[in-house]
Amino acid sequence: MAAAGMLAAPMAAVAGPLDLYIERTAMAAADRRCGFFDAGLRAALEAGRVQTRNAAMRGGATSAELSKADAHARASAATVICDSEAVTEAAAHVRSAFQGFAKLRQITYPGETADWRADRTSSAQVHRWRLAQQSDFAGGEMVFGLAGRDGQPVLLALASFADGRIPYAARLVLRDDSRATRPYLDLRGDQDLARRLPPVGARRTYSAEARSKAGLDLRPEDMGAGWAFRFPAEAAVRLAALDPREAVAVEFLFSQGPAVRRAYVEVGDFAAGRAFLQVAAR
């Protein structure tokens, strides 16, 4: 009954983020065994599970603690009896809790310095931002995130520069988790995202695969002419695996004037927003 008890109150008001993460992980694992939910609700549960993971990390949970909690939850789910009264009641509770979430088309994930805006409204005609964060930087402004029509969105940085100069390339810089298993965080309250990048020796860089003029469908109304850069799909996967308190940098490269102009992005709930988009894709 211990495993059933873990599933029995996944939305308990007194539960902390780590408790919720364990419970949602256990229920997701039990669903894979027992088939409790349809594809849409399963994806909604995954988005909620990722969000509670991020909340636990913001609360100080370490990667080791999360890995231990994850293993415990999956091991417990492996022992549940699918048609037992306690487990079916727990599944019904989760179904009730997440049905409304599964119907949402838009959601904003607040961050410490910037928000992620997620939009899973489908469109076969125009490109649109599906998950985006907007930021200003010295000499320009940027929108960064996932964009596209129906189907798999791509990772883009769209930037406008006050002096009208044209970057010839761009690159995304983030922590290389094969070199640094823990984030480098300077949380002194000044909200300077530059302090949340790892040192040069612990960074991974992705060069943009393509460059084009920013189209009107993705460019904010108050943004001047700009340029869009598309990054590899792997970069989005790596970004989603980072600590929500970390930052990444987009570096725009120029042949004249300052060689590099850098914009920062708060990782925040990128992973949760990316999972939320999957609700529409199923």
Side-chain angles (χ1 to χ4, degrees):
M1 291 299 292
M6 179 177 291
L7 303 176
M11 300 299 291
V14 296
L18 187 59
D19 298 318
L20 288 174
Y21 175 71
I22 293 171
E23 291 161 355
R24 290 177 183 179
T25 299
M27 180 54 74
D31 172 58
R32 284 192 290 273
R33 284 189 59 230
C34 305
F36 292 128
F37 312 126
D38 61 25
L41 197 141
R42 187 171 297 126
L45 174 60
E46 176 61 16
R49 190 184 77 87
V50 173
Q51 191 173 16
T52 56
R53 182 205 69 177
N54 285 353
M57 295 175 83
R58 289 189 181 101
T62 65
S63 296
E65 289 171 333
L66 288 170
S67 295
K68 182 178 179 180
D70 189 82
H72 177 54
R74 295 178 190 278
S76 296
T79 66
V80 301
I81 301 173
C82 293
D83 59 355
S84 69
E85 182 178 356
V87 172
T88 54
E89 285 182 359
H93 185 80
V94 170
R95 189 177 296 109
S96 175
F98 280 94
Q99 276 179 339
F101 180 79
K103 295 177 182 178
L104 288 176
R105 312 304 296 177
Q106 298 175 327
I107 189 170
T108 297
Y109 292 93
E112 185 177 347
T113 66
D115 300 339
W116 285 104
R117 302 183 307 278
D119 184 347
R120 64 186 190 89
T121 305
S122 61
S123 173
Q125 288 74 41
V126 299
H127 290 85
R128 63 191 306 136
W129 286 106
R130 311 299 299 279
L131 180 63
Q133 183 177 132
Q134 193 162 355
S135 62
D136 296 327
F137 59 95
E141 55 184 318
M142 179 182 73
V143 184
F144 177 85
L146 298 172
R149 293 192 290 261
D150 289 345
Q152 190 67 30
V154 297
L155 188 64
L156 291 179
L158 188 157
S160 177
F161 304 92
D163 59 10
R165 293 192 182 277
I166 301 174
Y168 68 84
R171 58 198 180 202
L172 178 65
V173 181
L174 66 165
R175 175 169 59 90
D176 185 342
D177 57 10
S178 68
R179 298 180 183 179
T181 57
R182 296 181 180 180
Y184 290 79
L185 301 173
D186 188 337
L187 306 176
R188 291 184 285 189
D190 57 9
Q191 298 188 339
D192 184 356
L193 293 181
R195 299 181 185 277
R196 304 185 187 189
L197 279 178
V200 174
R203 295 178 184 178
R204 177 192 296 265
T205 299
Y206 291 94
S207 296
E209 297 177 321
R211 182 193 72 163
S212 64
K213 287 186 177 180
L216 294 176
D217 49 356
L218 292 179
R219 201 175 75 209
E221 292 182 1
D222 59 351
M223 178 184 283
W227 293 85
F229 293 87
R230 187 188 75 226
F231 294 99
E234 181 187 342
V237 176
R238 295 289 184 180
L239 178 57
L242 295 178
D243 188 297
R245 298 167 292 176
E246 288 186 79
V248 302
V250 181
E251 296 181 337
F252 300 98
L253 311 182
F254 297 83
S255 57
Q256 296 179 346
V260 179
R261 300 184 189 182
R262 187 176 292 109
Y264 294 97
V265 177
E266 180 184 345
V267 173
D269 278 321
F270 176 82
R274 186 166 171 261
F276 173 76
L277 297 183
Q278 295 303 308
V279 178
R282 297 174 184 269

